[in-house]
Amino acid sequence: MSTTGANADPLAALGSLPGVADSVESVRKSVDRVYGHRVMRRRSNEITSEAALRGARGSAALSGADWALEEVRRRSDFGVDDEARVMGAALRLTAEAGQLLSIWRQSPLRVLARLHLVAAATDEDEIGRPRQAGEGVDEPLIELPLPGAAEISGRLEGLSELIIAGSSAPALVTAAVVQGELLALRPFVSYNGLVARAAARIVLVGSGLDPKSVCPAEVGHAELGRAAYLAALDGYVSGTPEGMAAWIAHCGSAIELGARESTAVCEALQRGAA
């Protein structure tokens, strides 16, 4: 996404693209339904915990570790193979994201570095910083052209400036742009998809749209499927108004499905208490 030009608030400009306002309104209604559920008034902590687990499972599925939810609950060793490491990284990021809300608006690049450190869980030199010239990336499910180090630096700085400056754009738009930029750039040597979705989650929670983090968009993205996710991302990368609007709408649909998932959890808890 270009962050230069006469428009002082390019994120807000995206909110005026055809269909985006409808997506924003639909997302708001879906989120409000969850927060209005009677179970949320008494057991919101349980809903938040369950949403975190399901969100981590969904994010990991998009990065190649498509485990059943009960398998995620059962397992305690997440270091035995590549899929287990992806799942472990997703779980760690879900737990860490809530601790970084206060830092995000002041230093988003610091938050991104921390997210990568948490995901990778190693102290190797390339962890927790953007890729340098000549360094590759382990992100086999995204086959877009890989930007070079100079482009990564410039676009990350531009994204950071947008976040710090603030915007009147709806949370859906900001979260979609943050996620889309990080997926397009793949700024780290690994775990970029997980980091991108965790950053989007921080935006949704910190904006006040989903303050209790009970509408896991990652669940919706996994339900919509990897092929649809990548097709929508192609639209974002194209930079066209139609492509950008399609990506934002896709992210909106994912949040709505996440909200539906948590509504179902609320209903299940209510039946159990009846």
Side-chain angles (χ1 to χ4, degrees):
M1 175 190 176
S2 174
T3 59
T4 61
N7 192 336
D9 192 351
L11 293 177
L14 294 176
S16 65
L17 291 174
V20 170
D22 291 340
S23 293
V24 169
E25 179 63 20
S26 185
V27 165
R28 169 54 69 186
K29 289 179 178 178
S30 295
V31 173
D32 285 348
R33 278 194 291 271
V34 180
Y35 279 84
H37 199 285
R38 62 193 308 178
V39 169
M40 279 291 292
R41 292 194 288 271
R42 296 177 285 110
R43 305 175 71 174
S44 64
N45 288 342
E46 292 176 66
I47 307 302
T48 294
S49 295
E50 188 64 20
L53 185 70
R54 294 178 184 226
R57 193 216 72 82
S59 189
L62 289 168
S63 288
D66 193 359
W67 291 11
L69 186 61
E70 291 311 312
E71 177 72 2
V72 182
R73 293 189 201 280
R74 182 186 67 82
R75 289 284 288 270
S76 58
D77 183 357
F78 295 101
V80 294
D81 55 37
D82 287 345
E83 284 196 8
R85 283 190 284 273
V86 168
M87 185 61 69
L91 290 166
R92 290 191 298 274
L93 285 174
T94 298
E96 184 73 13
Q99 311 301 313
L100 299 172
L101 292 171
S102 63
I103 305 172
W104 174 254
R105 283 294 300 273
Q106 285 73 45
S107 184
L109 297 185
R110 179 181 165 196
V111 169
L112 294 175
R114 175 63 185 170
L115 290 174
H116 188 238
L117 280 167
V118 169
T122 71
D123 57 0
E124 297 176 6
D125 290 344
E126 66 269 25
I127 303 303
R129 61 155 174 79
R131 289 186 289 111
Q132 296 178 356
E135 291 180 336
V137 60
D138 181 13
E139 202 73 43
L141 301 176
I142 299 177
E143 299 179 351
L144 295 168
L146 196 62
E151 182 178 353
I152 290 171
S153 177
R155 287 175 63 175
L156 281 180
E157 188 62 36
L159 182 64
S160 175
E161 289 173 0
L162 286 179
I163 300 301
I164 293 170
S167 172
S168 62
L172 166 61
V173 172
T174 303
V177 168
V178 166
Q179 185 176 179
E181 275 293 279
L182 295 175
L183 291 170
L185 292 175
R186 281 145 292 157
F188 302 110
V189 296
S190 58
Y191 298 113
N192 290 285
L194 297 180
V195 168
R197 291 183 286 276
R201 165 59 38 201
I202 289 172
V203 172
L204 295 173
V205 174
S207 68
L209 175 65
D210 182 17
K212 294 183 183 295
S213 195
V214 295
C215 301
E218 304 90 339
V219 168
H221 282 305
E223 184 173 336
L224 291 167
R226 195 178 302 148
Y229 188 67
L230 296 177
L233 179 61
D234 283 344
Y236 177 86
V237 173
S238 76
T240 65
E242 297 80 10
M244 297 290 285
W247 169 249
I248 293 168
H250 187 85
C251 291
S253 296
I255 298 171
E256 291 182 57
L257 289 170
R260 187 182 71 179
E261 182 94 350
S262 286
T263 299
V265 172
C266 287
E267 295 290 341
L269 288 174
Q270 184 169 284
R271 288 193 298 270

